[in-house]
Amino acid sequence: MPQTVEAIYHDGIVELKHKPVGIRRANALVIFLETEETEKRNAVDLGKVRKKKSSVDKWIGVIEGAELGDWKAERRLALERKAP
């Protein structure tokens, strides 16, 4: 026999407020009664993206031939000096 059980949906999960009586396994229908306001998303214009240089493209000339050394070790030492 069909039963109605109040539930809350979030992040792909439906949480029932109470366990339905006499049902261990059954097919169910979910009806969303109200929705929260969601962020307005703007579509990406792929034409514009393809025409623009990426941030990597802009830095290639600067990075090419640069002596980077062991920047991770230098950063780690700088952070260790600041530690209390």
Side-chain angles (χ1 to χ4, degrees), residues 38-50:
T38 57
E39 293 178 25
K40 188 176 182 179
R41 296 185 181 189
N42 297 326
V44 175
D45 185 351
L46 292 178
K48 283 184 179 179
V49 172
R50 288 188 181 116

Side-chain angles (χ1 to χ4, degrees), residues 57-74:
D57 292 333
K58 293 175 185 174
W59 285 98
I60 285 176
V62 176
I63 295 172
E64 198 172 296
E67 185 62 42
L68 298 177
D70 191 0
W71 65 271
K72 288 183 181 179
E74 291 172 14

